[in-house]
């Protein structure tokens, strides 16, 4: 079955456009929501290539793509929705009619939103230093305030280099998954904070949703405001985002690692902040210094093989860092990533942001390449001018 889908997947995204049903490119509609819209060709993007993308996705609903939005040079130039089977934080919803008004799971893109909120609080001086020991924020657990654990700083938390043992390498419907175990634990923060050390802090990267929940608790304590209220007043309302769900109840807090649901245009606004130095329509929402600090590479991954050979990859502060090889050179992508192929690709060298919703939940085989394949096979080839190759955010390890 996996081999069959692999073939269909590659065939779908590589099929020549003349073999697919016709589809016409249409610029996004103006909706009085703060977005400026434009035709693709007016910003040096090939509209026919984008039409080919629409054809491919509509011809292969098995791919599970639900929405794709593209911003270039500050304007929304592509917006397409695709009906498909969806979930609401693991609860099947059946086939959903996707539209601009439809909310969708962000899954772990939620982590990148938490990173933004940390940056706002840091800029306000409410989280003064990222070098502070994590345990100092949790005096209710004095038994955890040991010399070993004091080595773990907030920066280690944000870069997922705490050294704690944590297993998210099994599916999220598997009870051995540590995020699921934390979610079900009556003391989720203590569960995340009390893990044994696998390695010394800073030595290795280990994906850990518990660290996001812990960082969100630091944020709540630092701001003396609930996570939802702080997000609403400091981030969502300034962006004109009013339709928000934040699911989960972990000892009174929502799931900071995965619980957010937003509409596609609203998530694209969040991504736009990271292309424009933290500004939306000229208003500073996230400090520009945090935009740079939180999306450049802080941990370097091993070199890859295959189509990514020669690229640069790593992890930032609840963001992923990639530089993909292309015909034009290395193309930098600062990426928010969520289970199911939720993606925000911030592409500074193209002056572009690509936002994707999809329903390939818990598919970490072929489905895990979906977003990058769309980027390589359709988006990058569509850009006709204004490409600045390079990896300026890869200078840090």
């Amino acid at each position: 079955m996996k081999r069959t889908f692999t073939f269909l997947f590659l065939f779908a995204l590589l099929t020549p456009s003349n073999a697919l049903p016709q589809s016409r490119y249409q610029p996004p509609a103006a909706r009085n929501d703060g977005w400026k819209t434009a035709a693709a060709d007016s910003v040096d993007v090939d509209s026919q290539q984008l039409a080919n993308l629409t054809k491919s996705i509509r011809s292969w609903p098995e791919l599970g793509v639900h929405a794709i939005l593209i911003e270039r040079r500050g304007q929304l130039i592509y917006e397409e929705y695709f009906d498909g089977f969806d979930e609401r934080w693991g609860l099947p919803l059946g086939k959903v009619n996707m539209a601009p008004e439809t909310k969708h799971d962000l899954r772990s893109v939620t982590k990148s939103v938490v990173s933004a909120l940390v940056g706002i609080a840091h800029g306000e001086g409410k989280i003064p230093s990222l070098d502070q020991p994590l345990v100092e924020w949790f005096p209710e657990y004095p038994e955890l305030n040991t010399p070993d654990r004091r080595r773990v700083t907030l920066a280690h938390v944000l870069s997922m280099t705490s050294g704690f043992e944590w297993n998210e390498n099994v599916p999220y419907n598997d009870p051995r998954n540590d995020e699921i175990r934390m979610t079900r634990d009556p003391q989720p923060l203590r569960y995340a904070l009390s893990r044994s050390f696998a390695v010394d802090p800073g030595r290795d990267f280990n994906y850990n949703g518990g660290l996001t929940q812990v960082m969100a608790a630091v944020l709540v304590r630092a701001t003396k405001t609930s996570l939802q209220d702080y997000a609403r007043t400091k981030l969502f309302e300034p962006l004109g985002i009013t339709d928000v769900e934040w699911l989960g109840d972990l000892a009174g807090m929502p799931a900071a690692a995965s619980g957010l649901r937003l509409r596609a245009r609203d998530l694209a606004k969040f991504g736009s902040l990271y292309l424009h130095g933290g500004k939306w329509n000229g208003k500073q929402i996230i400090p520009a210094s945090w935009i740079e600090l939180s999306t450049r590479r802080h941990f370097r991954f091993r070199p890859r093989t295959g189509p990514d050979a020669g690229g640069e990859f790593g992890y930032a502060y609840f963001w992923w860092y990639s530089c993909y090889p292309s015909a034009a050179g290395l193309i930098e992508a600062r990426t928010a990533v969520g289970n199911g192929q939720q993606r925000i690709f911030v592409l500074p060298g193209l002056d572009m942001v690509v936002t994707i919703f999809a329903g390939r939940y818990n598919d970490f085989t072929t489905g895990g390449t979906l977003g990058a394949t769309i980027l390589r096979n359709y988006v990058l080839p569509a850009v006709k001018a204004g490409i600045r190759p390079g990896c300026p955010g890869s200078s840090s390890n």
Side-chain angles (χ1 to χ4, degrees):
M1 184 66 182
K2 285 183 180 178
R3 180 176 294 180
T4 300
F5 178 74
T6 300
F7 172 77
L8 291 174
F9 172 81
L10 294 175
F11 181 79
L13 289 184
L14 297 176
T15 298
S17 60
N18 59 7
L20 296 170
Q22 291 300 307
S23 182
R24 296 178 61 187
Y25 166 77
Q26 291 185 329
R31 296 184 180 275
N32 195 31
D33 60 358
W35 271 113
K36 301 178 181 70
T37 62
D41 292 299
S42 72
V43 292
D44 294 317
V45 177
D46 186 350
S47 60
Q48 184 56 54
Q49 187 76 302
L50 297 184
N52 293 343
L53 171 59
T54 305
K55 294 176 190 177
S56 292
I57 302 301
R58 293 205 186 285
S59 299
W60 292 92
E62 296 88 350
L63 294 175
V65 177
H66 294 158
I68 304 176
L69 283 70
I70 301 175
E71 170 193 354
R72 191 171 204 219
R73 297 177 185 167
Q75 299 175 96
L76 195 63
I77 63 166
Y78 181 84
E79 179 183 22
E80 291 289 345
Y81 298 89
F82 311 92
D83 297 345
F85 292 90
D86 201 14
E87 298 180 2
R88 179 177 178 268
W89 211 44
L91 177 68
L93 297 175
K95 190 170 184 179
V96 173
N97 296 321
M98 290 297 301
E101 296 77 24
T102 307
K103 289 192 295 296
H104 196 282
D105 279 7
L106 307 192
R107 298 298 174 97
S108 286
V109 175
T110 307
K111 295 179 174 69
S112 300
V113 174
V114 171
S115 175
L117 297 175
V118 170
I120 294 169
H122 183 55
E124 293 176 333
K126 294 175 180 175
I127 300 177
S129 173
L130 301 183
D131 294 324
Q132 184 180 11
L134 172 63
V135 294
E136 290 185 356
W137 287 92
F138 299 93
E140 68 268 37
Y141 306 125
E143 71 279 12
L144 299 180
N145 194 349
T146 65
D148 256 8
R149 292 185 184 277
R150 290 186 65 83
R151 297 179 299 162
V152 180
T153 67
L154 300 184
H156 290 135
V157 172
L158 288 161
S159 61
M160 295 201 183
T161 58
S162 68
F164 291 153
E165 290 182 348
W166 192 267
N167 181 14
E168 287 191 48
N169 295 322
V170 295
Y172 290 92
N173 53 10
D174 188 320
R176 295 173 298 165
N177 184 297
D178 270 312
E179 185 174 327
I180 299 304
R181 294 176 68 183
M182 175 190 67
T183 301
R184 296 172 178 173
D185 195 280
Q187 297 186 73
L189 295 177
R190 194 183 192 288
Y191 182 90
L193 288 164
S194 63
R195 298 299 88 196
S196 300
F197 282 99
V199 297
D200 289 335
R203 180 179 170 185
D204 203 359
F205 169 86
N206 184 32
Y207 193 73
N208 183 335
L211 293 177
T212 313
Q213 195 69 30
V214 165
M215 195 68 231
V218 171
L219 183 66
V220 168
R221 294 167 186 218
T223 63
K224 297 179 173 56
T225 309
S226 74
L227 187 60
Q228 299 97 314
D229 285 348
Y230 195 71
R232 176 176 52 79
T233 58
K234 298 295 183 176
L235 184 61
F236 295 143
E237 286 183 351
L239 288 171
I241 298 173
T242 58
D243 193 1
V244 179
E245 270 188 290
W246 203 328
L247 304 175
D249 184 355
L250 283 73
M253 287 179 57
S258 62
L260 264 175
R261 287 170 58 82
L262 293 177
R263 298 176 296 189
R265 276 197 172 209
D266 289 339
L267 183 61
K269 288 181 182 180
F270 173 71
S272 185
L273 290 172
Y274 285 80
L275 187 64
H276 301 289
K279 291 182 179 180
W280 171 251
N281 286 336
K283 181 178 181 179
Q284 195 76 46
I285 296 174
I286 304 173
S289 58
W290 184 260
I291 295 292
E292 173 58 28
L293 178 65
S294 65
T295 60
R296 73 174 178 193
R297 188 178 63 191
H298 292 281
F299 187 86
R300 182 194 300 266
F301 293 159
R302 295 182 181 89
R304 296 182 182 180
T305 58
D308 289 337
E312 297 273 355
F313 302 93
Y315 199 73
Y317 285 168
F318 296 162
W319 281 79
W320 299 79
Y321 184 86
S322 303
C323 255
Y324 293 103
S326 79
L330 290 174
I331 300 297
E332 183 181 52
R334 304 185 183 208
T335 311
V337 172
N339 182 359
Q341 285 297 292
Q342 322 319 319
R343 293 289 186 271
I344 305 172
F345 293 106
V346 180
L347 306 161
L350 303 181
D351 201 3
M352 179 178 279
V353 180
V354 180
T355 302
I356 300 174
F357 281 156
R360 301 214 62 81
Y361 304 108
N362 294 318
D363 181 356
F364 303 111
T365 55
T366 306
T369 68
L370 177 60
T373 302
I374 290 171
L375 197 66
R376 283 196 195 92
N377 291 5
Y378 291 95
V379 178
L380 297 182
V383 180
K384 297 184 288 187
I387 300 174
R388 303 184 306 277
C391 304
S394 67
S395 58
S396 173
N397 289 331

